[in-house]
Amino acid sequence: MAMSPLLKDDTTSFGVNLDGTSTSEGGGYEPIPASKTKSEKPPPYSRFTQQELPACKPIITPKLVIAAFTLIGIVFFPIGIAALSASNKVVEIEERYDRECIPPIYRNRILQYIQSVGTDKTCTRRLTVPKHMKSPVFIYYQLTDFYQNYRIYKSSRSDLQLKSKADESSGLKNCGPVQKVGDKPIVPCGLVAWSMFNDTYSFSVKGKALIVNKMNIAWQSDKEGRFGSDVYPKNSQTGGVIGGATLNSSIPLSEQEDLIVWMRPAALRNFRKLYGRIDVDLEADEEIKVEIKNNYNSYGYGGGKLLVLSTTSAFGGKNKFLGIAYLTVGGFSFLFAIVFAIIHRFKRRDIGDTACLSWNRSPVGYYIK
């Protein structure tokens, strides 16, 4: 049989040949495109391609949910209590000095005072130790409303220049207006290094000076991997581009830890950075005399400056948020566990037989005749 009729009317009869072409009584043939139902290059057989690997298919039952919430509460609640207790044991002294260190005659001319080179900017503050502070006592400077995470400011630096002496002229285009003095490159270039904090602090108790240790205040990975031992400051804070601290040109960047600490941008607008540490204990009710060189211009953008002395705990500095967060999560977990247990006890809803689930049934073979 060469042709089987599909449709016939008063005018034309159509048919399909066995080879997949169509014809009509008029004798014309029209090819019918064959649909591709099978891949030309099927993937090789494996349990992965056929999705036959073992899989975890947990069944969420009421008892499992109650047990999970109870376990979370048992784990989080003690951690929260420990973190909150450790935070309460941290002794911290904060002293804001940016306004108090302005002489009365300059209160209406603050910018003129802070920008003046010949004006003495020494300021003396006295701090009282509220509790015994066990060494080491960490010294921080805190700046408010300073956006180190601002994109243009953060990217104004040359990491190649910081790392290698051979690349001291590389990446200068990223440094914005702080690139060169004349034809000589500035090392380190960029707004970040240019605006480095330059207030200084000296401490004494009962007329005896306290030594401020500035060793190992920066990340070891930064000192070894991001700042070169053969790179020395050049043309820093010279000419018309004068901003923050002046770097010692005889010390390589890898050893200038104040710079390394400053060059790691803070994520928030209010931040603290480590200035140094005091390696002796401070007794309760002792009076600390602090001599401050108030050099840094935070007045131009309306920011504040604080001096912070703090001890630490196993969880870091004074921070109640971590403990409160753990206690909150643990408390809510206990609450949910109790509520679900009550509902399961008084309004029980039996679940079906898990053996009848599709992945638990025995495979059935299908045969096509």
Side-chain angles (χ1 to χ4, degrees):
M1 181 178 178
M3 180 173 59
S4 59
L6 295 179
L7 178 63
K8 188 173 183 180
D9 56 15
D10 295 338
T11 58
T12 309
S13 176
F14 297 93
V16 179
N17 294 329
L18 293 178
D19 58 359
T21 60
S22 65
T23 184
S24 64
E25 291 182 353
Y29 290 90
E30 297 179 2
I32 299 176
S35 60
K36 293 184 179 180
T37 59
K38 195 172 183 180
S39 175
E40 295 180 357
K41 295 182 179 180
Y45 175 81
S46 68
R47 298 184 67 188
F48 176 77
T49 59
Q50 297 302 319
Q51 301 183 16
E52 295 177 355
L53 294 175
C56 178
K57 300 175 181 178
I59 301 170
I60 308 300
T61 62
K63 291 182 180 179
L64 180 61
V65 173
I66 294 170
F69 276 113
T70 303
L71 179 62
I72 293 173
I74 291 173
V75 173
F76 276 54
F77 217 78
I79 296 177
I81 294 174
L84 198 60
S85 175
S87 177
N88 290 332
K89 292 180 181 178
V90 173
V91 184
E92 187 174 279
I93 306 173
E94 281 190 4
E95 176 70 13
R96 180 167 181 172
Y97 63 89
D98 54 310
R99 294 294 176 183
E100 288 74 8
C101 285
I102 299 295
I105 59 173
Y106 287 102
R107 291 291 166 86
N108 297 325
R109 296 177 295 161
I110 296 178
L111 289 180
Q112 179 184 348
Y113 165 77
I114 201 68
Q115 292 174 353
S116 175
V117 178
T119 305
D120 183 17
K121 300 182 178 66
T122 304
C123 173
T124 302
R125 307 295 297 169
R126 298 184 183 273
L127 311 177
T128 302
V129 181
K131 296 180 182 179
H132 175 76
M133 301 181 73
K134 187 177 180 180
S135 64
V137 179
F138 293 94
I139 306 168
Y140 301 90
Y141 57 87
Q142 179 174 332
L143 296 178
T144 63
D145 295 321
F146 191 112
Y147 292 86
Q148 273 199 320
N149 60 352
Y150 189 63
R151 182 179 61 84
I152 297 177
Y153 176 85
K154 181 181 177 181
S155 60
S156 181
R157 57 192 293 166
S158 173
D159 290 326
L160 292 174
Q161 183 196 63
L162 296 173
K163 191 174 182 179
S164 173
K165 181 179 180 180
D167 296 321
E168 68 176 20
S169 298
S170 301
L172 295 181
K173 63 179 181 180
N174 298 327
C175 295
V178 191
Q179 296 182 11
K180 297 181 179 181
V181 175
D183 295 331
K184 299 178 181 179
I186 297 174
V187 181
C189 69
L191 292 173
V192 183
W194 174 81
S195 60
M196 178 180 165
F197 187 78
N198 62 343
D199 283 5
T200 60
Y201 312 109
S202 58
F203 304 86
S204 62
V205 175
K206 297 178 182 179
K208 184 179 179 181
L210 297 176
I211 298 175
V212 178
N213 186 354
K214 290 194 171 189
M215 297 295 294
N216 299 321
I217 62 173
W219 290 16
Q220 193 67 24
S221 59
D222 285 352
K223 292 193 293 183
E224 295 178 354
R226 303 184 67 180
F227 292 82
S229 58
D230 60 343
V231 183
Y232 291 82
K234 293 181 181 179
N235 306 313
S236 178
Q237 305 294 345
T238 58
V241 285
I242 299 175
T246 301
L247 302 175
N248 191 334
S249 60
S250 63
I251 301 176
L253 297 186
S254 61
E255 297 180 14
Q256 303 212 27
E257 299 197 35
D258 284 335
L259 172 69
I260 298 174
V261 170
W262 178 259
M263 292 288 284
R264 176 167 285 277
L268 304 177
R269 65 187 181 93
N270 300 332
F271 59 86
R272 293 178 180 179
K273 289 186 181 288
L274 188 58
Y275 180 83
R277 62 180 181 272
I278 299 172
D279 292 326
V280 296
D281 292 359
L282 299 178
E283 302 299 329
D285 299 324
E286 276 187 339
E287 186 180 77
I288 304 175
K289 180 181 177 182
V290 186
E291 189 174 279
I292 303 171
K293 294 290 186 180
N294 184 26
N295 298 316
Y296 197 70
N297 184 9
S298 64
Y299 309 95
Y301 61 89
K305 296 188 289 187
L306 292 87
L307 171 64
V308 181
L309 275 67
S310 176
T311 59
T312 58
S313 68
F315 291 88
K318 194 175 188 66
N319 184 6
K320 294 185 177 181
F321 174 79
L322 184 64
I324 294 174
Y326 271 98
L327 289 175
T328 302
V329 174
F332 274 108
S333 297
F334 275 129
L335 178 63
F336 291 153
I338 293 171
V339 171
F340 291 155
I342 294 174
I343 294 174
H344 183 60
R345 174 66 179 82
F346 294 101
K347 291 187 177 182
R348 186 184 183 91
R349 180 182 178 185
D350 294 331
I351 64 174
D353 187 359
T354 57
C356 297
L357 292 173
S358 61
W359 58 79
N360 288 333
R361 291 201 300 263
S362 299
V364 179
Y366 295 92
Y367 301 94
I368 301 176
K369 294 182 180 180

